[in-house]
Amino acid sequence: MESQFGKRILIGTAVLGMVLSLAACGNSATPSGNSPKSSSTQTMDSTATAVKQANHLISEGKYQAALDKLNALDHQTTTTSALRRDLKNYLAAKSSLKDNNYDEAAANLSTVKSKSSSMKSAYSKLRSQIASARESNSNNASQTTSSQTANVTVASATSEDVINTFANQAGFNKEGYGIIPVNKNGNVYRFEVRQDNADGSVANFVGIYDFDAATKQITKVQ
């Protein structure tokens, strides 16, 4: 009898020990609400922060710093790749403009691939600067023509979204194509299109096109 009673005590003690052990394990585990972030989540947070910082730098005119910020990322996404591509093209276009290679600058600028409003604004301003430089150069050379001289006012009034729509519609949304606004009549925009040659030394003339932003119709003028 005493033996059976002793066994019951031993079993009860063992069960109690197991319960206490499991409780201790449960208490030592990190609560689900405070679980550490996974590496993929940390990467996403890091990327989002870098993109935000890059856009801020772009808005301040610090384009190389913005590109350096994105280049430093260990993992590139579609968003960062598009913004890096836009920054590289912008810097190349700015360099060509500084060297007075206006057509090459336009070809380098291409079209905006990212969704960055800061980048679109920078492209628009640089496109106007290129138009102003081309117009001034043509005036000085007494070669001004209504079809091939970019008008600064037109360039300023032409949004990057309109240029992108035209480029996508016409197939000029690839690297090396430069789109230069030269005229605007209501919803109809006239663009001069140039393309880099193989060695990037000159931007070859492709044609003059009218684009109706309302109907999306494209007409080659020259």
Side-chain angles (χ1 to χ4, degrees), residues 17-37:
M18 291 176 63
V19 171
L20 292 174
S21 176
L22 289 173
C25 291
N27 290 333
S28 64
T30 305
S32 59
N34 298 321
S35 59
K37 291 183 178 179

Side-chain angles (χ1 to χ4, degrees), residues 204-220:
N204 298 313
F205 178 76
V206 175
I208 301 289
Y209 298 83
D210 280 349
F211 172 63
D212 190 323
T215 64
K216 304 298 186 294
Q217 183 177 353
I218 298 173
T219 304
K220 186 170 184 179

Side-chain angles (χ1 to χ4, degrees), residues 5-192:
F5 184 71
K7 288 181 178 179
R8 289 177 181 175
I9 292 176
L10 289 173
I11 293 172
T13 302
V15 171
L16 180 60
M18 291 176 63
V19 171
L20 292 174
S21 176
L22 289 173
C25 291
N27 290 333
S28 64
T30 305
S32 59
N34 298 321
S35 59
K37 291 183 178 179
S38 66
S39 58
S40 61
T41 302
Q42 290 177 332
T43 299
M44 289 173 62
D45 288 348
S46 176
T47 301
T49 299
V51 170
K52 184 178 180 179
Q53 292 173 342
N55 276 308
H56 180 68
L57 289 168
I58 292 169
S59 67
E60 292 184 335
K62 300 175 181 177
Y63 306 106
Q64 186 59 57
L67 181 57
D68 292 342
K69 175 69 68 176
L70 296 175
N71 285 340
L73 287 171
D74 294 329
H75 176 71
Q76 297 292 336
T77 65
T78 302
T79 300
T80 59
S81 295
L83 192 51
R84 287 171 68 230
R85 177 262 189 198
D86 288 345
L87 282 164
K88 288 178 181 178
N89 287 349
Y90 178 90
L91 290 169
K94 199 169 185 179
S95 177
S96 294
L97 178 60
K98 185 177 179 180
D99 293 336
N100 298 324
N101 295 328
Y102 311 127
D103 293 339
E104 186 67 19
N108 285 333
L109 195 59
S110 190
T111 54
V112 179
K113 294 297 184 184
S114 68
K115 296 180 180 180
S116 168
S117 57
S118 298
M119 196 78 263
K120 287 181 180 180
S121 177
Y123 263 54
S124 181
K125 290 177 181 177
L126 184 57
R127 209 179 292 279
S128 294
Q129 291 173 15
I130 294 170
S132 177
R134 292 178 88 239
E135 190 169 52
S136 176
N137 181 65
S138 296
N139 286 334
N140 291 338
S142 301
Q143 295 176 346
T144 304
T145 65
S146 59
S147 63
Q148 295 187 20
T149 299
N151 183 283
V152 181
T153 303
V154 172
S156 300
T158 305
S159 73
E160 291 302 311
D161 290 335
V162 169
I163 293 174
N164 282 352
T165 301
F166 164 72
N168 291 333
Q169 191 87 2
F172 299 136
N173 56 345
K174 305 176 182 65
E175 291 290 327
Y177 279 103
I179 299 171
I180 306 164
V182 295
N183 201 356
K184 181 179 183 296
N185 183 13
N187 289 323
V188 179
Y189 296 80
R190 178 162 292 185
F191 297 116
E192 177 183 333

